[in-house]
């Protein structure tokens, strides 16, 4: 039961991070034009890796 709860929380965190990345895309593109890179990809990769590790258990 706890494993299922953990999986659901990790899936929600992953989907929230993807949605945040999509929502911040215009800001990220504007920042890139100014020479600044936002580390949104790290957030998405970390959440995805945590979900995949939990799924293999």
């Amino acid at each position: 039961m706890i494993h299922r709860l953990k999986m659901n929380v990790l899936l929600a965190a992953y989907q929230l991070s993807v949605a945040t990345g999509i929502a911040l895309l215009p800001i990220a593109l504007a920042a890139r034009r100014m020479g600044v890179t936002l580390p949104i990809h790290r957030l998405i990769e970390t959440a995805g890796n945590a979900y995949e590790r939990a799924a293999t258990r």
Side-chain angles (χ1 to χ4, degrees), residues 14-32:
Y14 175 68
Q15 289 183 346
L16 183 62
S17 68
V18 170
T20 302
I22 291 170
L24 292 177
L25 184 61
I27 296 170
L29 292 174
R32 180 177 271 182

Side-chain angles (χ1 to χ4, degrees), residues 34-53:
M34 292 185 283
V36 179
T37 304
L38 299 178
I40 300 297
H41 64 280
R42 284 192 238 160
L43 173 68
I44 294 171
E45 287 176 8
T46 302
N49 289 339
Y51 179 73
E52 288 176 4
R53 279 195 311 267

